[in-house]
mmCIF file of all heavy atoms in Angstrom:
data_model
loop_
_atom_site.group_PDB
_atom_site.id
_atom_site.type_symbol
_atom_site.label_atom_id
_atom_site.label_comp_id
_atom_site.label_asym_id
_atom_site.label_seq_id
_atom_site.Cartn_x
_atom_site.Cartn_y
_atom_site.Cartn_z
ATOM 1 N N ALA H 1 17.669 27.926 -102.820
ATOM 2 C CA ALA H 1 17.101 27.548 -101.523
ATOM 3 C C ALA H 1 15.847 26.693 -101.726
ATOM 4 O O ALA H 1 15.059 26.920 -102.661
ATOM 5 C CB ALA H 1 16.754 28.796 -100.716
ATOM 6 N N GLU H 2 15.662 25.723 -100.861
ATOM 7 C CA GLU H 2 14.496 24.836 -100.966
ATOM 8 C C GLU H 2 13.208 25.594 -100.662
ATOM 9 O O GLU H 2 13.139 26.384 -99.712
ATOM 10 C CB GLU H 2 14.644 23.660 -100.003
ATOM 11 C CG GLU H 2 15.728 22.672 -100.402
ATOM 12 C CD GLU H 2 15.699 21.419 -99.551
ATOM 13 O OE1 GLU H 2 14.704 21.220 -98.826
ATOM 14 O OE2 GLU H 2 16.670 20.640 -99.609
ATOM 15 N N HIS H 3 12.207 25.345 -101.481
ATOM 16 C CA HIS H 3 10.889 25.953 -101.308
ATOM 17 C C HIS H 3 9.892 25.068 -102.053
ATOM 18 O O HIS H 3 10.192 24.588 -103.161
ATOM 19 C CB HIS H 3 10.872 27.377 -101.876
ATOM 20 C CG HIS H 3 9.627 28.145 -101.567
ATOM 21 N ND1 HIS H 3 8.413 27.896 -102.196
ATOM 22 C CD2 HIS H 3 9.394 29.161 -100.692
ATOM 23 C CE1 HIS H 3 7.509 28.726 -101.732
ATOM 24 N NE2 HIS H 3 8.063 29.497 -100.826
ATOM 25 N N PRO H 4 8.727 24.833 -101.503
ATOM 26 C CA PRO H 4 7.775 23.920 -102.153
ATOM 27 C C PRO H 4 7.330 24.364 -103.543
ATOM 28 O O PRO H 4 6.906 23.528 -104.348
ATOM 29 C CB PRO H 4 6.597 23.880 -101.175
ATOM 30 C CG PRO H 4 6.766 25.062 -100.283
ATOM 31 C CD PRO H 4 8.231 25.303 -100.194
ATOM 32 N N LEU H 5 7.422 25.665 -103.832
ATOM 33 C CA LEU H 5 6.986 26.153 -105.136
ATOM 34 C C LEU H 5 8.141 26.409 -106.101
ATOM 35 O O LEU H 5 7.914 26.864 -107.228
ATOM 36 C CB LEU H 5 6.179 27.453 -104.976
ATOM 37 C CG LEU H 5 4.818 27.335 -104.294
ATOM 38 C CD1 LEU H 5 4.155 28.695 -104.190
ATOM 39 C CD2 LEU H 5 3.920 26.366 -105.061
ATOM 40 N N VAL H 6 9.358 26.133 -105.665
ATOM 41 C CA VAL H 6 10.536 26.452 -106.478
ATOM 42 C C VAL H 6 11.243 25.169 -106.911
ATOM 43 O O VAL H 6 11.596 24.330 -106.082
ATOM 44 C CB VAL H 6 11.519 27.358 -105.713
ATOM 45 C CG1 VAL H 6 12.751 27.654 -106.566
ATOM 46 C CG2 VAL H 6 10.834 28.664 -105.305
ATOM 47 N N THR H 7 11.449 25.043 -108.217
ATOM 48 C CA THR H 7 12.148 23.890 -108.779
ATOM 49 C C THR H 7 13.422 24.355 -109.472
ATOM 50 O O THR H 7 13.345 25.111 -110.458
ATOM 51 C CB THR H 7 11.264 23.157 -109.810
ATOM 52 O OG1 THR H 7 10.041 22.762 -109.194
ATOM 53 C CG2 THR H 7 11.993 21.941 -110.369
ATOM 54 N N PRO H 8 14.589 23.946 -108.989
ATOM 55 C CA PRO H 8 15.838 24.326 -109.668
ATOM 56 C C PRO H 8 15.962 23.601 -111.009
ATOM 57 O O PRO H 8 15.590 22.431 -111.139
ATOM 58 C CB PRO H 8 16.936 23.872 -108.702
ATOM 59 C CG PRO H 8 16.243 23.549 -107.419
ATOM 60 C CD PRO H 8 14.847 23.165 -107.777
ATOM 61 N N VAL H 9 16.474 24.316 -112.012
ATOM 62 C CA VAL H 9 16.716 23.751 -113.332
ATOM 63 C C VAL H 9 18.131 24.145 -113.762
ATOM 64 O O VAL H 9 18.482 25.326 -113.707
ATOM 65 C CB VAL H 9 15.692 24.271 -114.365
ATOM 66 C CG1 VAL H 9 15.995 23.729 -115.756
ATOM 67 C CG2 VAL H 9 14.273 23.911 -113.954
ATOM 68 N N ARG H 10 18.906 23.152 -114.182
ATOM 69 C CA ARG H 10 20.273 23.445 -114.609
ATOM 70 C C ARG H 10 20.253 24.138 -115.970
ATOM 71 O O ARG H 10 19.657 23.640 -116.930
ATOM 72 C CB ARG H 10 21.103 22.171 -114.685
ATOM 73 C CG ARG H 10 22.602 22.433 -114.867
ATOM 74 C CD ARG H 10 23.373 21.132 -115.010
ATOM 75 N NE ARG H 10 23.062 20.191 -113.962
ATOM 76 C CZ ARG H 10 23.596 20.221 -112.749
ATOM 77 N NH1 ARG H 10 24.430 21.194 -112.420
ATOM 78 N NH2 ARG H 10 23.267 19.308 -111.853
ATOM 79 N N LEU H 11 20.946 25.276 -116.056
ATOM 80 C CA LEU H 11 20.986 26.005 -117.324
ATOM 81 C C LEU H 11 22.151 26.984 -117.348
ATOM 82 O O LEU H 11 22.238 27.882 -116.527
ATOM 83 C CB LEU H 11 19.672 26.773 -117.549
ATOM 84 C CG LEU H 11 19.611 27.685 -118.786
ATOM 85 C CD1 LEU H 11 19.893 26.901 -120.057
ATOM 86 C CD2 LEU H 11 18.260 28.381 -118.883
ATOM 87 N N ASP H 12 23.021 26.805 -118.316
ATOM 88 C CA ASP H 12 24.030 27.788 -118.681
ATOM 89 C C ASP H 12 23.520 28.451 -119.946
ATOM 90 O O ASP H 12 23.381 27.800 -120.993
ATOM 91 C CB ASP H 12 25.382 27.101 -118.930
ATOM 92 C CG ASP H 12 26.485 28.076 -119.330
ATOM 93 O OD1 ASP H 12 26.154 29.205 -119.741
ATOM 94 O OD2 ASP H 12 27.666 27.706 -119.251
ATOM 95 N N VAL H 13 23.210 29.743 -119.883
ATOM 96 C CA VAL H 13 22.540 30.402 -121.001
ATOM 97 C C VAL H 13 23.402 30.465 -122.254
ATOM 98 O O VAL H 13 22.883 30.719 -123.348
ATOM 99 C CB VAL H 13 22.062 31.825 -120.621
ATOM 100 C CG1 VAL H 13 21.087 31.781 -119.458
ATOM 101 C CG2 VAL H 13 23.233 32.751 -120.330
ATOM 102 N N THR H 14 24.702 30.244 -122.123
ATOM 103 C CA THR H 14 25.559 30.270 -123.302
ATOM 104 C C THR H 14 25.521 28.960 -124.073
ATOM 105 O O THR H 14 26.157 28.840 -125.118
ATOM 106 C CB THR H 14 27.015 30.579 -122.921
ATOM 107 O OG1 THR H 14 27.523 29.537 -122.080
ATOM 108 C CG2 THR H 14 27.118 31.908 -122.194
ATOM 109 N N SER H 15 24.785 27.982 -123.576
ATOM 110 C CA SER H 15 24.666 26.693 -124.253
ATOM 111 C C SER H 15 23.253 26.535 -124.798
ATOM 112 O O SER H 15 22.297 26.330 -124.044
ATOM 113 C CB SER H 15 24.987 25.541 -123.288
ATOM 114 O OG SER H 15 24.668 24.299 -123.878
ATOM 115 N N ALA H 16 23.121 26.587 -126.125
ATOM 116 C CA ALA H 16 21.805 26.402 -126.733
ATOM 117 C C ALA H 16 21.275 24.997 -126.449
ATOM 118 O O ALA H 16 20.061 24.809 -126.271
ATOM 119 C CB ALA H 16 21.888 26.638 -128.238
ATOM 120 N N ALA H 17 22.177 24.029 -126.387
ATOM 121 C CA ALA H 17 21.754 22.653 -126.093
ATOM 122 C C ALA H 17 21.178 22.552 -124.687
ATOM 123 O O ALA H 17 20.147 21.898 -124.468
ATOM 124 C CB ALA H 17 22.936 21.696 -126.250
ATOM 125 N N GLU H 18 21.825 23.200 -123.707
ATOM 126 C CA GLU H 18 21.297 23.183 -122.340
ATOM 127 C C GLU H 18 19.963 23.899 -122.258
ATOM 128 O O GLU H 18 19.087 23.509 -121.478
ATOM 129 C CB GLU H 18 22.298 23.816 -121.367
ATOM 130 C CG GLU H 18 23.395 22.870 -120.916
ATOM 131 C CD GLU H 18 24.078 23.333 -119.643
ATOM 132 O OE1 GLU H 18 23.491 24.139 -118.875
ATOM 133 O OE2 GLU H 18 25.220 22.891 -119.403
ATOM 134 N N ALA H 19 19.798 24.960 -123.043
ATOM 135 C CA ALA H 19 18.521 25.674 -123.042
ATOM 136 C C ALA H 19 17.397 24.758 -123.523
ATOM 137 O O ALA H 19 16.304 24.731 -122.935
ATOM 138 C CB ALA H 19 18.608 26.916 -123.922
ATOM 139 N N LEU H 20 17.660 23.993 -124.573
ATOM 140 C CA LEU H 20 16.645 23.061 -125.077
ATOM 141 C C LEU H 20 16.369 21.955 -124.068
ATOM 142 O O LEU H 20 15.208 21.554 -123.868
ATOM 143 C CB LEU H 20 17.111 22.468 -126.404
ATOM 144 C CG LEU H 20 17.139 23.441 -127.593
ATOM 145 C CD1 LEU H 20 17.841 22.800 -128.786
ATOM 146 C CD2 LEU H 20 15.731 23.883 -127.972
ATOM 147 N N GLU H 21 17.421 21.455 -123.410
ATOM 148 C CA GLU H 21 17.241 20.433 -122.381
ATOM 149 C C GLU H 21 16.421 20.970 -121.210
ATOM 150 O O GLU H 21 15.556 20.281 -120.661
ATOM 151 C CB GLU H 21 18.599 19.945 -121.891
ATOM 152 C CG GLU H 21 19.368 19.117 -122.916
ATOM 153 C CD GLU H 21 20.765 18.785 -122.440
ATOM 154 O OE1 GLU H 21 21.080 19.085 -121.267
ATOM 155 O OE2 GLU H 21 21.545 18.231 -123.239
ATOM 156 N N ALA H 22 16.703 22.227 -120.828
ATOM 157 C CA ALA H 22 15.958 22.840 -119.726
ATOM 158 C C ALA H 22 14.486 22.977 -120.085
ATOM 159 O O ALA H 22 13.597 22.761 -119.251
ATOM 160 C CB ALA H 22 16.551 24.209 -119.394
ATOM 161 N N ALA H 23 14.209 23.327 -121.335
ATOM 162 C CA ALA H 23 12.813 23.455 -121.769
ATOM 163 C C ALA H 23 12.090 22.110 -121.680
ATOM 164 O O ALA H 23 10.925 22.041 -121.265
ATOM 165 C CB ALA H 23 12.757 23.995 -123.191
ATOM 166 N N GLU H 24 12.769 21.045 -122.046
ATOM 167 C CA GLU H 24 12.157 19.719 -121.950
ATOM 168 C C GLU H 24 11.954 19.314 -120.490
ATOM 169 O O GLU H 24 10.955 18.691 -120.138
ATOM 170 C CB GLU H 24 13.017 18.695 -122.682
ATOM 171 C CG GLU H 24 12.957 18.827 -124.198
ATOM 172 C CD GLU H 24 11.527 18.795 -124.724
ATOM 173 O OE1 GLU H 24 10.771 17.872 -124.334
ATOM 174 O OE2 GLU H 24 11.164 19.707 -125.484
ATOM 175 N N THR H 25 12.919 19.670 -119.640
ATOM 176 C CA THR H 25 12.783 19.383 -118.206
ATOM 177 C C THR H 25 11.565 20.098 -117.629
ATOM 178 O O THR H 25 10.777 19.514 -116.865
ATOM 179 C CB THR H 25 14.048 19.830 -117.452
ATOM 180 O OG1 THR H 25 15.169 19.084 -117.933
ATOM 181 C CG2 THR H 25 13.903 19.618 -115.955
ATOM 182 N N VAL H 26 11.406 21.356 -117.990
ATOM 183 C CA VAL H 26 10.269 22.139 -117.500
ATOM 184 C C VAL H 26 8.962 21.563 -118.047
ATOM 185 O O VAL H 26 7.967 21.421 -117.313
ATOM 186 C CB VAL H 26 10.426 23.620 -117.880
ATOM 187 C CG1 VAL H 26 9.139 24.401 -117.587
ATOM 188 C CG2 VAL H 26 11.602 24.244 -117.126
ATOM 189 N N ARG H 27 8.943 21.227 -119.326
ATOM 190 C CA ARG H 27 7.720 20.653 -119.921
ATOM 191 C C ARG H 27 7.286 19.405 -119.168
ATOM 192 O O ARG H 27 6.105 19.226 -118.848
ATOM 193 C CB ARG H 27 7.947 20.327 -121.398
ATOM 194 C CG ARG H 27 6.731 19.693 -122.068
ATOM 195 C CD ARG H 27 7.010 19.331 -123.515
ATOM 196 N NE ARG H 27 7.164 20.515 -124.344
ATOM 197 C CZ ARG H 27 6.144 21.206 -124.851
ATOM 198 N NH1 ARG H 27 4.887 20.841 -124.582
ATOM 199 N NH2 ARG H 27 6.366 22.267 -125.599
ATOM 200 N N ALA H 28 8.254 18.548 -118.846
ATOM 201 C CA ALA H 28 7.933 17.305 -118.156
ATOM 202 C C ALA H 28 7.440 17.545 -116.735
ATOM 203 O O ALA H 28 6.653 16.758 -116.199
ATOM 204 C CB ALA H 28 9.168 16.400 -118.134
#
């Protein structure tokens, strides 16, 4: 749900590659 303090991040926890991508997305 949309909220000014909430940012959706795509992540399937079974994918180590997606986890690393999510970390970079959050860092940015």
Side-chain angles (χ1 to χ4, degrees):
E2 290 189 13
H3 188 286
L5 292 179
V6 179
T7 303
V9 177
R10 191 183 309 279
L11 175 57
D12 179 342
V13 300
T14 63
S15 171
E18 278 199 21
L20 290 170
E21 290 174 7
E24 288 306 310
T25 298
V26 170
R27 178 182 291 278

